[in-house]
Amino acid sequence: GIVDVPELVVALEGEIGQLGGQLLGHTPVARIARAGSLWRVESESGDAISSRIVVNAAGHGALALAACTEGVDPASLPRAHYG
């Protein structure tokens, strides 16, 4: 079928909000690390949030984001292929 992606994203964002979650867009991440049973995500501006679950939805920036995640060996990440 055909999916209206913008409409789907708005619907998912609404569901996440109803469940107490939050989406943060256009927020450059400096570091992701475990903090006990949670993940601590620190932004380049110095702000931080903690969460049980972190979804890397950075598109073309996903590999760079994974590389700044504590415990992830950058050598284990696949090479980016564009084109």
Side-chain angles (χ1 to χ4, degrees):
I2 298 173
V3 175
D4 182 340
V5 175
E7 188 173 314
L8 175 61
V9 170
V10 169
L12 291 174
E13 185 175 16
E15 286 185 40
I16 290 169
Q18 288 175 351
L19 295 170
Q22 136 184 62
L23 294 178
L24 301 174
H26 307 287
T27 306
V29 172
R31 182 172 181 260
I32 301 173
R34 290 299 287 182
S37 63
L38 301 175
W39 288 100
R40 180 175 170 84
V41 181
E42 299 173 7
S43 72
E44 289 180 356
S45 67
D47 296 323
I49 62 168
S50 295
S51 178
R52 289 182 297 123
I53 299 169
V54 174
V55 176
N56 180 346
H60 291 298
L63 292 175
L65 182 58
C68 77
T69 303
E70 182 180 280
V72 174
D73 177 6
S76 72
L77 299 174
R79 283 191 31 191
H81 298 277
Y82 304 104

